[in-house]
Amino acid sequence: MKKICKVSSIILCLTLSAGLLAACGSSGNGDSAAKVEGIKKEGFPIVEEPLTLTMMSQDAGVADWNDMPVLQEMEKLTGIKFTYQLAPIDSFATKKNLVFASGDLPDVFYGADLKSADQVTYGTQGVLIPLEGYIDDGYAPNIKKIFDEHPEIRQSFTTPDGHIYALPNVDLSAVWYRSPMWYNGKFLKALNITELPKTTEELYDYLKRVKEEDPNGNGKKDEIPLTSVKLDDLRMYFLGFWGIYSEGIYADKDGKVRYAPQEEGYKGYLTFLNKLWNEELLDHETFSQTPEQKKAKGQNNQIALFNDYYPYFTLGGEPSTEHPLMTPVKSEIDGSPVYGKHPGLSAQGTFAITSKNPAPEATMRWIDYQYGYEGATLFAQGPEDLLWKYKNKDTHEKEWLPVPGGKDREEYRGTVTPNYGILTPGMNSAELTVGLKSDFDRWIDEENQEKLVPIGKSPFPNVYLTNDEQSEATALFSDLNTYVQQMEAKFVTGQESLSNWDKYVDQVKKMGADRIVELYQAAYDR
């Protein structure tokens, strides 16, 4: 479930220059890498003779990829075998940068977290090849269908030079951009709360009651009304209470690009959290604790309001409908609350083909399978009759089978498929889980539809800056992000008075915030 996003951009070494000259001539129309023959546009296997390619990816460290049933199944189906160049999740970005710099390229990058800057830089240099020709020439009918039905997805992954150098993860059923906020249902029950807070004032009143009325019933004042880890987990959700869709760049309802940390709503957010801090309603270990320490407080039944993917991840126990999704609350800002909804596709590229690849057509067919129902099912849930079976194949209704050895289903899935712990290429839709959803899953869907979808909007489309624009924006963000993060902590904890807000905004503008907005407004308009 982790979605790993780490900044990675590095200048390509001159040692690649000879290879780049040839690669830059690639048209992406199927003529550029005709080293392998006997590639079929339809049917399986994809190639007449077995083909071996190299793949670089992130490794969640659960199982040997060579032993994964999903990848073994793909090799049997397609005739394409991969040798894997894997790096642990935490060090993958560094390893990827070194590979780009050295020129010792794999044939494909998979689950590769390719930033927009990576795609533009290495695409225009010819290191990553254009993919749209193969998509339009019949080697990727599933991807073509998604692009035709959702032209905004194609548009979002087309760089300024008109090429597509990487493929996204497409999730047509997603709502959450980040994990949301949850109430501890036991506290709500103890305090006889039957209607969740709808305004920031009502939220404050509730958190104050938690502190004063001993809802965990142990006779101690050990309740923590609101907790966080460096505000990273709650920031985006809370900013929505003040009409802000994202913690950085976002577009408002009128298409005007804004930079959150200089907006008036951001001041409202800081003011509210400072008030909670001063009255000890916000955990005073927020800026020092680890996620594990936060979770320990939850399992000790001390936390009233918190962020996690699911509530039982923090509170312990089994999935249940006891702990409700937080209803975003209204503030003094007109038009609030809002919610930064998942755009339906990854912000980063998850798959790319390099100039070294001898069979891009075959590779496109291999990856395209994961963007159709059968391939997406295989990579999400494993082969049929291992963890699931069909109840009705015609309607795609499935049912779960017992997990071999009685193991945890999700952990066992991590030994079956690479689609675990990292964001991989492919698609997800409601069709994949027909019959598999539990009562808890259906309840989550209902909570989302009631509380988030009506006020939700994608914060910002996936846009590409030119190389020069990207270099300028990266440099500006580097200093700005550090300053904004430091000042957020100071304003919330009172080390810096909010009476200095105007002085802070002036400094943010001096550091280039308005120029960043200008750059992203131009990209948005393009």
Side-chain angles (χ1 to χ4, degrees):
M1 293 177 181
K2 300 174 188 171
K3 298 213 169 114
I4 306 300
C5 299
K6 295 180 182 176
V7 175
S8 55
S9 181
I10 197 165
I11 301 300
L12 192 67
C13 288
L14 293 175
T15 53
L16 280 173
S17 57
L20 295 183
L21 290 173
C24 285
S26 168
S27 65
N29 62 4
D31 299 327
S32 59
K35 299 173 187 174
V36 174
E37 297 184 1
I39 297 170
K40 295 187 288 187
K41 279 190 176 180
E42 296 179 354
F44 294 100
I46 293 170
V47 287
E48 291 179 359
E49 297 293 330
L51 173 65
T52 299
L53 300 172
T54 56
M55 172 191 291
M56 182 176 182
S57 188
Q58 308 181 63
D59 186 7
V62 177
D64 185 336
W65 284 34
N66 292 291
D67 298 331
M68 287 183 177
V70 163
L71 295 173
Q72 292 172 344
E73 187 86 7
M74 279 296 284
E75 183 181 341
K76 281 189 275 183
L77 178 70
T78 65
I80 300 173
K81 175 182 175 61
F82 281 95
T83 56
Y84 304 107
Q85 301 172 0
L86 304 177
I89 291 171
D90 291 343
S91 60
F92 177 75
T94 302
K95 175 75 172 174
K96 179 177 61 178
N97 288 342
L98 291 172
V99 165
F100 273 129
S102 70
D104 186 17
L105 298 167
D107 293 313
V108 303
F109 286 100
Y110 182 93
D113 191 30
L114 291 163
K115 307 291 189 286
S116 297
D118 296 333
Q119 296 168 47
V120 171
T121 300
Y122 301 120
T124 55
Q125 291 176 347
V127 179
L128 304 179
I129 68 169
L131 305 179
E132 70 280 353
Y134 304 111
I135 294 169
D136 295 333
D137 284 356
Y139 290 99
N142 292 315
I143 296 171
K144 180 76 160 56
K145 183 171 185 285
I146 291 172
F147 281 0
D148 288 347
E149 293 176 356
H150 304 274
E152 72 280 3
I153 295 178
R154 181 175 191 138
Q155 192 175 19
S156 291
F157 264 74
T158 300
T159 59
D161 65 358
H163 292 306
I164 297 170
Y165 294 112
L167 298 174
N169 173 283
V170 178
D171 190 340
L172 302 176
S173 61
V175 175
W176 300 342
Y177 207 106
R178 304 272 180 84
S179 50
M181 304 293 298
W182 305 92
Y183 286 106
N184 182 334
K186 291 184 171 67
F187 284 20
L188 295 173
K189 189 174 181 181
L191 297 173
N192 295 313
I193 302 291
T194 56
E195 194 169 317
L196 299 179
K198 288 189 171 63
T199 66
T200 51
E201 291 87 352
E202 290 177 5
L203 177 59
Y204 165 77
D205 290 342
Y206 170 68
L207 296 176
K208 199 164 177 60
R209 286 190 64 192
V210 169
K211 178 174 171 56
E212 295 172 350
E213 298 183 29
D214 189 30
N216 68 8
N218 66 358
K220 303 175 186 176
K221 284 205 167 184
D222 61 348
E223 287 84 358
I224 301 167
L226 173 65
T227 193
S228 174
V229 177
K230 297 181 175 62
L231 303 180
D232 290 340
D233 46 3
L234 66 74
R235 185 183 300 114
M236 188 165 166
Y237 207 86
F238 266 54
L239 283 172
F241 308 165
W242 283 270
I244 294 174
Y245 286 95
S246 180
E247 56 201 286
I249 287 291
Y250 68 97
D252 65 19
K253 292 174 183 175
D254 298 320
K256 184 175 180 182
V257 176
R258 299 183 180 275
Y259 178 59
Q262 65 180 1
E263 294 296 317
E264 196 62 26
Y266 190 82
K267 181 184 179 184
Y269 155 81
L270 293 175
T271 302
F272 185 72
L273 288 185
N274 173 249
K275 180 180 181 180
L276 299 186
W277 181 273
N278 289 339
E279 298 189 31
E280 297 188 350
L281 304 181
L282 172 60
D283 192 346
H284 275 208
E285 293 183 347
T286 284
F287 295 99
S288 60
Q289 70 181 342
T290 64
E292 290 72 28
Q293 289 169 324
K294 172 185 137 180
K295 188 167 292 191
K297 294 172 182 176
Q299 294 183 352
N300 201 35
N301 199 30
Q302 291 178 263
I303 303 172
L305 179 61
F306 58 94
N307 172 286
D308 210 330
Y309 200 84
Y310 293 128
Y312 67 95
F313 284 8
T314 288
L315 299 178
E318 298 298 318
S320 80
T321 61
E322 181 182 11
H323 310 292
L325 180 71
M326 183 187 192
T327 302
V329 296
K330 181 176 176 55
S331 69
E332 68 279 5
I333 298 291
D334 287 342
S336 66
V338 300
Y339 176 70
K341 184 177 175 289
H342 196 290
L345 72 163
S346 59
Q348 316 298 353
T350 57
F351 184 87
I353 301 175
T354 74
S355 56
K356 181 190 171 189
N357 191 306
E361 301 93 338
T363 307
M364 278 303 298
R365 281 216 55 208
W366 185 89
I367 193 61
D368 181 68
Y369 187 64
Q370 297 173 45
Y371 287 86
Y373 169 78
E374 290 181 359
T377 294
L378 174 65
F379 274 77
Q381 296 149 10
E384 185 179 357
D385 295 327
L386 180 58
L387 287 172
W388 63 276
K389 69 176 182 179
Y390 275 113
K391 209 169 180 179
N392 185 331
K393 196 161 189 175
D394 292 337
T395 61
H396 291 165
E397 186 181 0
K398 308 181 184 83
E399 62 181 341
W400 290 119
L401 295 172
V403 181
K407 299 177 182 177
D408 177 84
R409 183 174 298 278
E410 188 63 11
E411 288 181 9
Y412 188 85
R413 194 180 70 85
T415 68
V416 171
T417 175
N419 184 3
Y420 175 87
I422 62 173
L423 190 63
T424 56
M427 74 90 176
N428 182 42
S429 72
E431 187 183 17
L432 301 187
T433 55
V434 174
L436 297 180
K437 286 198 170 184
S438 65
D439 290 343
F440 176 74
D441 294 328
R442 287 189 287 273
W443 174 75
I444 292 288
D445 289 344
E446 291 167 4
E447 291 282 275
N448 286 334
Q449 290 300 319
E450 177 190 341
K451 298 174 179 178
L452 301 182
V453 172
I455 59 170
K457 181 184 84 70
S458 173
F460 202 69
N462 191 52
V463 301
Y464 291 89
L465 304 182
T466 65
N467 279 327
D468 289 343
E469 289 171 339
Q470 186 64 62
S471 296
E472 184 180 0
T474 299
L476 291 173
F477 269 128
S478 177
D479 292 335
L480 255 178
N481 288 343
T482 301
Y483 176 70
V484 165
Q485 188 176 23
Q486 290 172 346
M487 291 303 293
E488 178 188 48
K490 289 180 178 179
F491 280 132
V492 169
T493 60
Q495 293 177 48
E496 185 81 26
S497 170
L498 279 154
S499 63
N500 293 328
W501 168 258
D502 290 341
K503 179 181 169 186
Y504 155 81
V505 171
D506 287 343
Q507 180 61 25
V508 167
K509 289 180 182 295
K510 282 178 188 172
M511 295 176 75
D514 286 345
R515 175 57 179 158
I516 283 175
V517 168
E518 193 177 294
L519 291 170
Y520 279 86
Q521 185 72 64
Y524 181 90
D525 292 342
R526 284 198 298 264

